[in-house]
Structure formats: structure tokens, C-alpha cells
Amino acid sequence: MMVKARAKINLSLDVLGTRADGYHEILTVMQPLELHDVLEAGPLEGDIRVESSHPEVPSGPGNIVYRAADLIRREFRCGAGARIFIHKKIPVAAGLAGGSADAAAALRALNRLWALNAAEEELFRLGEAIGSDVPFCLLGRTALAGGRGELLTPLPSFSGFGVVLVKPPFGVSTARIYRLYDSLPAVPGPDTRAVVKAVENGDLKALAGLMGNALERVTASLHPEIMEIKKALVAAGAAGAMMSGSGPAVFGLCAGPDEARFVASRLNLPGCQVIATRTV
Ligand code: ATP
């Protein structure tokens, strides 16, 4: 069985504070993309085997997909096994939720493969235990996310817009970026309510002017290239550009997929991976 695991971008991301459990309280508008990994899942006698096509993505228990499989199997006291191969297309450690998307896709695939009949709420509960972005990946549509990212309010579809992703030749650790965030003086975050309005209205121009990511200046303080990439995307014709999540991937928004391909073709960013895709 083949399942898609879609990448996401954050159209806005605000950090509201720290919590007693060590996580940060965030408020973010999340958007799924056409860009996806493919998970190939099939039966295996008693055992869970996870492998991937990407050298930086661990096989076996180190993979978030293995943890998802192990968790749902234990929760349902299921004795069956599975082999899962991850065809990796989403850049790794980029702020595009590649691992979370794979985990969500694995929960859905194994629910079917093992005929567990898990209710949606059950899958969301398991997803939340695996990672903050997993519930959004299970939802699979534009949403406002609060809490650690798991409290979801679906928004109207914002599909069909062009997206140019630029992944610089390094990754960042989300935990490190949040630690650094805490050590910097606070500055006002994006106007999330206005971003939500622009998304609801399908107003790309308004959105481009309102987008903001509270983590961007943090990651950019370590990697000033982020700001250069943003400038390059806008100079190449994107309506707006911003870092996704804790980075370092930067996206440019365009009117449609054709415009995104055109913008991508005009970029000259040595060492960076450039992908033209679209919102879904
Ligand atoms: P987020 O946007 O949710 O913070 P991310 O895009 O920054 O996620 P991931 O691509 O999910 O980051 O990967 C983070 C780390 O997790 C990688 O360095 C990788 O070693 C490890 N990892 C474990 N399983 C996976 C997986 N299935 N796909 C990608 N990375 C994985």
C-alpha cells in the first residue's frame, strides 16, 4: 500500500510563551503542500522494519515512523508486523515537518494494513503523543494551530497557490532554535488574526504583506543566508517570502504553480535545493 506524506509550511508563526512542560506555546497558520514523501507499507511476520531512501534519515527505531508503528501496535495490542519504506522527497531537518508527515501517514497506513479500525480521535491522540506537528499532518488541510501546535482550528482551503521552497545546505535543530529564542529580547510577533483573514479571503497580496515568523530572526542570527534567500525569492518575482517553522527552509509564495516554476528558474543560489510546488 502507498500513502502520501505531505510537507507543510507555516504562513505565520508566533511564540506566545514558555510552558511548565518545557514546550513553547505557539500560534501558527499551517498549510499543506503538494510536495510529499511516499510511504510504502506491507505486511511482515511479527516485526516492524522501517527503511528510507535518504542517507540522513535513520532506519529502524531511530525513525519517527518506527515510533509511530510501535505506539499504535502497543495501543491496540496488535501482534502483526509491517515493513515500511519511506521514499523521501521532503528536505530533511528543514522546518517542513517531513518526519511528522511520515509519522501521520504511517498511522493511517497501519490502521488500514492491520484493520485496527481506530477512530479519528484515537489517531489524533496517538499523533499528539508522537510529535507536535503530527495532528496537523493527520488533518491535512489549512489550519490555525495553538498549544504546542496540536490544537487545530481548520480554515478554508488555500489551495492552488505556487510555492518555491529553498533549502540551504545545512539543517537546524528545532530545540536549539527555541533555546536561542528564549535568550533574545522579545519583539512583537505577526498579526495572526490578520493572516487568518487574508487566508480566508484567498488574498495572496495581503498575506504576503502580513506573513511573519517569530523564529526567523533567531535562525537567521545563526545563518544570515536566510535573509539573502528571502531577498532573492522576492527579486525573482515571489509575492512574499518567509522562513518555515524553525527553518532553515525558506518559501516564496506565487500566484500559481507556473509562476512558482518561473521564479524557481530565475534563482541562482549555489548549494541550495530549490523545489517548485503548490499549496493544497
Ligand atoms: P519540523 O518542521 O516538524 O520541525 P523538520 O522538517 O525540521 O520538522 P524533519 O525532517 O522531520 O525535521 O527531521 C528532523 C530529524 O529527525 C532529522 O534530522 C532526522 O534524522 C530525524 N528523522 C527521524 N525520522 C525521520 C523521518 N521519517 N523523516 C525525516 N527525518 C527523520
Side-chain angles (χ1 to χ4, degrees), residues 30-116:
M30 300 175 85
Q31 172 63 48
L33 300 180
E34 164 52 25
L35 174 69
H36 59 268
D37 295 341
V38 173
L39 263 69
E40 207 178 328
L44 184 71
E45 197 62 42
D47 210 7
I48 296 169
R49 192 184 305 158
V50 176
E51 286 168 346
S52 102
S53 62
H54 195 292
E56 284 161 40
V57 174
S59 294
N63 198 298
I64 188 169
V65 165
Y66 186 99
R67 297 205 296 278
D70 189 46
L71 181 64
I72 193 169
R73 196 165 74 144
R74 275 188 286 119
E75 284 286 319
F76 284 83
R77 293 177 175 43
C78 169
R83 48 163 191 80
I84 301 176
F85 189 85
I86 307 165
H87 299 269
K88 201 80 200 158
K89 283 279 164 54
I90 305 173
V92 176
L96 300 171
S100 305
D102 292 350
L107 290 177
R108 290 224 179 271
L110 295 175
N111 188 32
R112 268 164 53 203
L113 184 72
W114 293 335
L116 302 175

